[in-house]
PDB file of all heavy atoms in Angstrom:
ATOM      1  N   LEU B  19      -2.592-102.157  99.196  1.00  0.00           N
ATOM      2  CA  LEU B  19      -1.838-102.653 100.358  1.00  0.00           C
ATOM      3  C   LEU B  19      -0.971-103.850  99.982  1.00  0.00           C
ATOM      4  O   LEU B  19       0.162-103.969 100.418  1.00  0.00           O
ATOM      5  CB  LEU B  19      -2.802-103.046 101.495  1.00  0.00           C
ATOM      6  CG  LEU B  19      -3.539-101.870 102.152  1.00  0.00           C
ATOM      7  CD1 LEU B  19      -4.620-102.379 103.103  1.00  0.00           C
ATOM      8  CD2 LEU B  19      -2.556-100.972 102.898  1.00  0.00           C
ATOM      9  N   VAL B  85       8.943-106.362  88.747  1.00  0.00           N
ATOM     10  CA  VAL B  85       8.053-107.436  88.309  1.00  0.00           C
ATOM     11  C   VAL B  85       8.224-108.653  89.220  1.00  0.00           C
ATOM     12  O   VAL B  85       7.245-109.273  89.656  1.00  0.00           O
ATOM     13  CB  VAL B  85       8.343-107.811  86.835  1.00  0.00           C
ATOM     14  CG1 VAL B  85       7.561-109.039  86.426  1.00  0.00           C
ATOM     15  CG2 VAL B  85       8.032-106.631  85.927  1.00  0.00           C
ATOM     16  N   LEU B 108      17.759-106.965  84.051  1.00  0.00           N
ATOM     17  CA  LEU B 108      17.786-105.828  84.970  1.00  0.00           C
ATOM     18  C   LEU B 108      18.410-104.610  84.320  1.00  0.00           C
ATOM     19  O   LEU B 108      19.386-104.706  83.583  1.00  0.00           O
ATOM     20  CB  LEU B 108      18.588-106.181  86.218  1.00  0.00           C
ATOM     21  CG  LEU B 108      18.096-107.394  86.993  1.00  0.00           C
ATOM     22  CD1 LEU B 108      18.944-107.575  88.243  1.00  0.00           C
ATOM     23  CD2 LEU B 108      16.635-107.238  87.360  1.00  0.00           C
ATOM     24  N   ALA B 152      21.194-115.767  74.751  1.00  0.00           N
ATOM     25  CA  ALA B 152      21.071-115.992  73.301  1.00  0.00           C
ATOM     26  C   ALA B 152      19.898-116.924  72.989  1.00  0.00           C
ATOM     27  O   ALA B 152      19.189-116.732  71.998  1.00  0.00           O
ATOM     28  CB  ALA B 152      22.374-116.570  72.750  1.00  0.00           C
TER      29      ALA B 152
END
Side-chain angles (χ1 to χ4, degrees):
Chain B
L19 292 171
V85 172
L108 302 183

